[in-house]
Amino acid sequence: MKLHYGLDDLKDIDFMAILPIILPIIIVGTILVLIAFIDLYRYRKTRENIRIWIMIILFANTLGPILYFAIGRKDGEKFETRD
């Protein structure tokens, strides 16, 4: 069993075989990030810790936007005023 793979071994991988599995994950992650950024920008006056949420959304990829929608949106709701 080989424990170390070099760059020469990458040419043996069939990327077209795994593309249908990986492409939807990349697309869903990108859409989640974009929607989270749009929501964060739209309600930027009522949100706390905007810079921290930007870092979480950007660097935690798929999990970051999910955390933002589950936790981050709640911190702005207490500041919204009702007419």
Side-chain angles (χ1 to χ4, degrees):
M1 185 165 91
K2 193 173 183 182
L3 295 177
H4 178 71
Y5 294 96
L7 292 176
D8 295 331
D9 296 323
L10 286 177
K11 65 180 167 77
D12 297 333
I13 297 174
D14 185 18
F15 288 108
M16 295 311 273
I18 61 172
L19 190 64
I21 297 168
I22 299 215
L23 195 60
I25 295 170
I26 292 171
I27 291 171
V28 168
T30 304
I31 290 172
L32 279 174
V33 167
L34 289 175
I35 292 172
F37 278 145
I38 290 169
D39 186 74
L40 187 63
Y41 179 75
R42 186 179 290 167
Y43 298 106
R44 67 187 177 274
K45 293 178 182 169
T46 59
R47 299 283 185 253
E48 294 179 358
N49 307 321
I50 292 177
R51 291 183 182 130
I52 293 172
W53 280 115
I54 288 173
M55 300 302 266
I56 291 171
I57 292 169
L58 196 62
F59 293 117
N61 292 338
T62 306
L63 187 61
I66 293 170
L67 286 173
Y68 169 72
F69 287 121
I71 300 170
R73 292 186 73 187
K74 292 178 184 172
D75 69 353
E77 290 175 359
K78 60 185 172 191
F79 294 109
E80 292 179 14
T81 58
R82 304 276 184 210
D83 290 329

